[in-house]
Amino acid sequence: MPPKPLAIFQMGKPPADIRQVHQEQSDWILAALGELQRPVAVYNVEEQPPPSPSAIAAAVITGSWSMVTEREPWSERIGAWIRLAMALELPLLGICYGHQLMADALGGVVDYHPDGREIGQRLVCLNADAAEDPLLARAAPRFPAYLTHEQSVLLPPAGATVLGGTDHDPHQIIRYSPTALSVQFHPEFTPALMKACLLRRRTLFVEEGFDLDRLCLELGPTPEATGILRRFVEQIGE
């Protein structure tokens, strides 16, 4: 019997200018993972219903240009699916929007960050509990990661463990169960993609007080962040 696929839940589409040059969220995930030993199934959840959790080996829930608090029907469907998948102990990894949606679906609080957006390359600092986490034990205690978000997990769900944060957002990595984890940052981003996300809204970001030239110059490799995504897939069972 062939192995069950890894599911990538693509949470909507990027803006057209990003999509024309850099493709879509699922493409970024696949490029970051490189050659895989198992099949992959991509679900554009705005247009497709999610699969039964029993039909897949694991799921990665991507970022989005939507907001969790908008309560779009497709997003709420995936929130309900997350609760079902958690009950079945399916391996789950949420990224950015996926991070916020997992926290929201499991009883946390998500909303606009009171100090505004977080963008560019930032330093993620791991907490002491991360030393025992299967996805983080091999990571450096402090590592750079790419971020672009306005909303954040303001209050994690009861029983969840926060494993790392930035000086802006202390809830960057949350462990919900032995099989479910989410990250606010983007382990799948490249410097070129992060730069494109910065420059396409240059006027707005400058008005908000960001130094776009400095942010672009700071962009460099983020192998520790990408390693979390890769280890998640490597540890999926049959």
Side-chain angles (χ1 to χ4, degrees):
M1 180 179 295
K4 294 179 180 179
L6 165 68
I8 299 176
F9 286 8
Q10 181 165 305
M11 309 300 280
K13 291 181 178 292
D17 57 320
I18 294 289
R19 192 164 66 247
Q20 288 168 2
V21 177
H22 298 281
Q23 300 181 291
E24 302 183 1
Q25 298 99 307
S26 56
D27 300 301
W28 311 337
I29 298 289
L30 291 170
L33 290 172
E35 186 174 347
L36 292 175
Q37 301 303 311
R38 69 168 61 246
V40 176
V42 175
Y43 296 86
N44 185 331
V45 299
E46 283 188 312
E47 303 169 357
Q48 298 171 273
S52 167
S54 63
I56 60 177
V60 174
I61 305 169
T62 74
S64 177
W65 269 257
S66 295
M67 298 292 171
V68 168
T69 58
E70 293 171 346
R71 302 291 176 193
E72 298 188 61
W74 57 267
S75 182
E76 294 293 277
R77 284 195 295 272
I78 300 304
W81 184 93
I82 287 169
R83 292 188 288 273
L84 176 60
M86 286 286 296
L88 298 176
E89 300 182 343
L90 185 75
L92 300 176
L93 177 66
I95 296 172
C96 195
Y97 187 94
H99 166 77
Q100 297 165 17
L101 184 59
M102 285 180 67
D104 177 82
L106 299 174
V109 176
V110 172
D111 211 330
Y112 288 93
H113 194 290
D115 294 328
R117 74 177 76 245
E118 186 175 36
I119 58 171
Q121 182 172 300
R122 305 294 289 267
L123 195 63
V124 177
C125 299
L126 297 180
N127 300 337
D129 289 335
E132 305 300 323
D133 191 88
L135 295 185
L136 300 173
R138 289 160 49 191
R142 295 156 60 91
F143 58 86
Y146 296 135
L147 289 137
T148 172
H149 66 112
E150 293 180 72
Q151 296 197 331
S152 293
V153 178
L154 302 184
L155 181 66
T161 302
V162 177
L163 298 176
T166 61
D167 56 2
H168 179 89
D169 183 346
H171 305 137
Q172 289 283 338
I173 309 174
I174 301 177
R175 169 68 71 180
Y176 308 92
S177 76
T179 60
L181 180 132
S182 65
V183 297
Q184 178 60 68
F185 52 87
H186 284 276
E188 81 282 17
F189 268 27
T190 63
L193 177 55
M194 185 73 251
K195 186 175 182 179
C197 290
L198 290 170
L199 294 182
R200 68 180 302 272
R201 303 182 76 187
R202 172 188 281 275
T203 300
L204 173 62
F205 294 159
V206 170
E207 289 176 350
E208 291 181 351
F210 292 101
D211 183 340
L212 264 290
D213 292 333
R214 181 181 61 81
L215 288 176
C216 290
L217 286 173
E218 288 176 346
L219 300 179
T222 58
E224 295 281 2
T226 304
I228 295 170
L229 171 62
R230 291 175 177 168
R231 287 193 293 276
F232 171 77
V233 174
E234 289 168 0
Q235 293 177 13
I236 297 170
E238 292 301 326

